Amino acid sequence: VTDEEFTGNVKAQLAKLFGLSLKLTAPEEPDVEPLVAACTAKFGDYQCNNAMSLWAKIKGKRTQFRGPPAVGEAIKNNLPPSEMIESCSIAGPGFVNVVLSKNWMAKSIQKMLIDGIDSWAPKLSIKRAVVDFSSPNIAKEMHVGHLRSTIIGDSLARMLEFSKVEVLRRNHVGDWGTQFGMLIEFLFEKFPNYEDVNEKAIGDLQAFYKESKQRFDADPDFKERAQRAVVRLQGGEDRYRRAWAQICEISRNEFQRVYQRLGVHLEEKGESFYNPYIPGVLKALTEQGLVEESQGCQVIFIDGFNIPLIVVKSDGGYNYASTDMTAIWYRLNEERAEWIIYVTDVGQQQHFAMVFKAAQRAGWLPVVDRSYPKASHVGFGLVLGDDGKRFRTRSSEVVRLVDLLDEAKARSKKELIDRGKGQEWTEEDIEQTAEAVGYGAVKYADLKNNRLTNYTFNYDQMLNDKGNTAVYLLYAHARICSIIRKSGKDIEELKKTGTLVLDHVDERVLGLHLLQFAEVVEEACMNLLPNVLCEYLYNLSEKFSTFYQQCKVVGSEEETSRLLLCEATAVVMRKCFYLLGITPIYKI
Ligand code: ARG
C-alpha cells in the first residue's frame, strides 16, 4: 500500500486515483475525466460515478464488459492500492463507493494540528486577482448595499488569500463626475476660506450634498457656475483640484470609520485614477473598430443587448462605462490580474455583462468561458427592513452604517452585562467580546444566505444565541476552548505525544467533516458563494455537539485523542471565522 499524504482535498485526491484506474480500465478513452463526489453516509464517504457514461462509450467495442456494473467492478479493481481507502463496493449501475480509512483520516488531522491549518489551503491555478468591492460614492451616502459589498467582497478576498492568491483589494470609489462641480461651487460659496474647511465645519457631507443639490436645482446661475466648475476641475485647475481633494478626504474619513469597525482592509483606486487613461483606451478601441458613433454619442454595440454601451456622452464627457472599460483594461494589461471580481448589487449585472463582452471583443478577455483571465460579477440582493421594504431608519433617511454597527455592538454588550459578565470580566474583555459578537452577527447574517436573495435586517434574529447565527457559533467555539482549558492538559504537548483515533462513529463523522474543510473553501471561492462556507461551519458545530453528547472527553480513557479532536474542531472553526471576517471569542 502506497503512503498517501493528505493534500487538503479528499475529493481531488480520490479523483486522481480514479483517473489512474480509468486509464487502465479503458486505455482507448484517455480523456475521460474522473467523476468523484461526496455521497450519502449509508453508501460510504465518496463515490465514483464514471461507470455508466464510460459504458456508453465502449459498449460496442469491448465484449468483456456486460454492463455498467461490470465496468464499475473493473474501475474498482484497477484502483491503485492506497492508504486512503479502507474499502470499496459497487452499488446500482456501477457506482463505486469508497469508505475512507479511519487511520488515514486520523493521521491526516493530527498532521494538520502540527503543521497548521494553512497546510490544507486550496491550491488554485491563478496567482493574482482583483476584488473590486465596497466602492461607495464620495459625498453621497454609503448605504447598506455598500455594507453588503464590503462584507461579501472581504470574505471572497480572504478565501483567495488563504489559497495563496495575491489579491488587489480595490475600492473603486465614485470620486469623479459632474456632481463635483456642484459640490465645489457650493463649498466656495459657503466657505470663502475653504482652505480651512475641515470635517467639523462641513459636518455631515451627505447633508452638504443635499443642500448643494437643492441650490443647483433652484438657481440657474449657480447651475451654470457648477457646470463650469466641472470643466475647470477636469482641466486640472489648482484651486478646483484642491477643493475636490478636500471633499474626498472628508468622505474617506467617514468610510474609514466603517472599515475600521469591520476590520476590512481596502486599497483605494477610485474612478479618478483611471481618468487619464480613458482617452488612450478609447482610441485603441476606436482603431479596432469597436467604438461607433450613435445619436451623438460614442458607443460600443454588443450582441445580445438592445442598447449599446455608451463610452462618450453627447456632451463629450466620460461616464461610468468609460471608466469601467478603462479599469478592466488596466487590471488585465497593467496589473496582470487573472481574475477580476466585481461585488455590487444585482442591479448592475447588465452593465458588467456588457463591459465583459466588450473586453472580449477587444481581445483582452478570452471568449471561451472558464479559462483565465476572467471577469466575474458577484451580484447581491437588497437589504430589507422588517416591513419587507428597503431597509431605512424611522425618519426614512438611509441608515448611517456606523450607527448600525454601533447598535449591534451596544446590544451585544448589554446582553453580556445582563449575564453578569460585568462582575467577572475586565472592561476590555467586555468591549472586545461585544465587538466580536456584534459585528460578527451583522456579517454572518449577510453571508449565510445565498447572496442573490434579499435579506431582512433584524437585530433580534442575528443576535439570537440559538439557531444558525454568529452568536451561536462563536459561543460553540468558546465552549470547545473551555473544554480544553478545563482539562488542564497542555494541548501543544498532546499534539506531538498523543495519538488521535476515530473509533467511535460520531468521532468519525466529525473527522470526515474536518477533512472536507479545504474542499468547501475551494468550492465557495471558485463559485463566489460565501454562504457555502457558512453552511459548512454550522454543520461542523452540529457535528461537534453530537460527538460531545455521545463521547465523554475529559476523564475518559480516550481523553487525549478526544482533546485533539476538540482542538482540531476549534482550529477549523477559527479558520472559518477568519475567512468570513469574524473575530473568534475564547470564553463565554
Ligand atoms: N460606486 C458604485 C456604486 O456605488 C460601485 C462601483 C463598483 N465597481 C466598479 N468597477 N464599477 O454603485
Side-chain angles (χ1 to χ4, degrees), residues 397-412:
E397 290 286 321
V398 285
V399 187
R400 284 189 64 222
L401 295 188
V402 176
D403 296 344
L404 182 147
L405 293 167
D406 288 349
E407 170 82 14
K409 177 181 168 185
R411 288 191 186 219
S412 60

Side-chain angles (χ1 to χ4, degrees), residues 20-240:
L20 293 171
S21 161
L22 287 166
K23 291 224 164 24
L24 292 173
T25 308
E28 71 274 36
E29 296 289 343
D31 298 327
V32 176
E33 286 287 328
L35 305 169
V36 176
C39 68
T40 29
K42 71 173 187 216
F43 295 117
D45 301 320
Y46 283 82
Q47 190 169 68
C48 169
N49 302 333
N50 282 93
M52 283 222 281
S53 56
L54 187 56
W55 163 251
K57 285 195 168 150
I58 61 176
K59 63 180 163 197
K61 302 169 221 160
R62 295 273 224 117
T63 45
Q64 82 267 40
F65 295 134
R66 312 235 343 249
V71 177
E73 194 65 36
I75 294 175
K76 174 184 152 209
N77 293 335
N78 285 325
L79 261 182
S82 164
E83 198 195 351
M84 277 181 92
I85 299 174
E86 179 92 41
S87 64
C88 287
S89 58
I90 306 297
F95 296 127
V96 185
N97 295 316
V98 176
V99 176
L100 295 173
S101 147
K102 67 181 179 198
N103 288 338
W104 177 83
M105 290 165 62
K107 198 175 92 174
S108 304
I109 295 170
Q110 186 155 6
K111 190 161 189 315
M112 178 279 283
L113 281 176
I114 294 166
D115 296 348
I117 186 77
D118 288 354
S119 63
W120 281 3
K123 293 167 190 66
L124 306 185
S125 62
I126 56 162
K127 293 213 161 41
R128 186 178 296 153
V130 165
V131 182
D132 174 323
F133 68 113
S134 193
S135 309
N137 301 315
I138 300 283
K140 295 193 196 157
E141 83 283 7
M142 185 180 189
H143 53 70
V144 278
H146 295 119
L147 182 67
R148 284 208 86 176
S149 174
T150 309
I151 292 170
I152 295 170
D154 180 52
S155 176
L156 295 173
R158 283 167 184 261
M159 288 193 255
L160 286 163
E161 283 155 354
F162 175 53
S163 310
K164 306 204 170 60
V165 176
E166 179 195 352
V167 178
L168 310 180
R169 293 163 157 261
R170 292 288 181 253
N171 201 359
H172 191 88
V173 295
D175 63 355
W176 206 239
T178 43
Q179 82 265 29
F180 280 97
M182 161 186 108
L183 288 166
I184 293 171
E185 218 36 60
F186 194 60
L187 184 74
F188 290 160
E189 191 171 278
K190 241 185 129 172
F191 303 97
N193 287 323
Y194 73 95
E195 309 257 18
D196 308 332
V197 170
N198 53 29
E199 211 167 332
K200 279 219 189 74
I202 291 200
D204 187 346
L205 204 48
Q206 277 178 51
F208 184 82
Y209 179 87
K210 259 197 198 154
E211 247 185 284
S212 64
K213 180 84 171 73
Q214 275 161 9
R215 186 94 178 74
F216 184 86
D217 291 337
D219 182 347
D221 253 17
F222 179 83
K223 189 171 173 174
E224 211 193 298
R225 264 185 290 143
Q227 279 158 350
R228 259 181 289 140
V230 186
V231 181
R232 298 173 79 167
L233 170 67
Q234 307 213 331
E237 209 170 301
D238 197 43
R239 193 161 156 251
Y240 288 81

Side-chain angles (χ1 to χ4, degrees), residues 208-272:
F208 184 82
Y209 179 87
K210 259 197 198 154
E211 247 185 284
S212 64
K213 180 84 171 73
Q214 275 161 9
R215 186 94 178 74
F216 184 86
D217 291 337
D219 182 347
D221 253 17
F222 179 83
K223 189 171 173 174
E224 211 193 298
R225 264 185 290 143
Q227 279 158 350
R228 259 181 289 140
V230 186
V231 181
R232 298 173 79 167
L233 170 67
Q234 307 213 331
E237 209 170 301
D238 197 43
R239 193 161 156 251
Y240 288 81
R241 287 300 285 215
R242 272 185 292 146
W244 168 77
Q246 212 168 16
I247 293 169
C248 291
E249 191 57 26
I250 295 172
S251 256
R252 199 171 287 130
N253 292 338
E254 176 74 27
F255 302 157
Q256 210 48 46
R257 276 193 279 277
V258 174
Y259 301 143
Q260 186 263 327
R261 279 177 180 63
L262 294 175
V264 171
H265 162 74
L266 276 147
E267 196 196 330
E268 184 180 320
K269 263 199 168 58
E271 292 178 7
S272 64

Side-chain angles (χ1 to χ4, degrees), residues 143-155 262 343 378-384 391 401 404-405 438-458 461-462 468-470 529-532 534 580 582:
H143 53 70
V144 278
H146 295 119
L147 182 67
R148 284 208 86 176
S149 174
T150 309
I151 292 170
I152 295 170
D154 180 52
S155 176
L262 294 175
V343 189
V378 173
F380 52 79
L382 296 174
V383 183
L384 305 176
F391 188 55
L401 295 188
L404 182 147
L405 293 167
Y439 304 158
V442 173
K443 289 186 180 184
Y444 191 80
D446 190 324
L447 294 169
K448 78 170 182 183
N449 305 298
N450 181 305
R451 56 181 163 76
L452 288 165
T453 55
N454 297 341
Y455 97 92
T456 305
F457 193 96
N458 181 304
Q461 252 164 41
M462 67 176 76
N468 189 2
T469 65
L529 291 172
N531 64 305
V532 170
C534 295
L580 299 170
I582 299 173

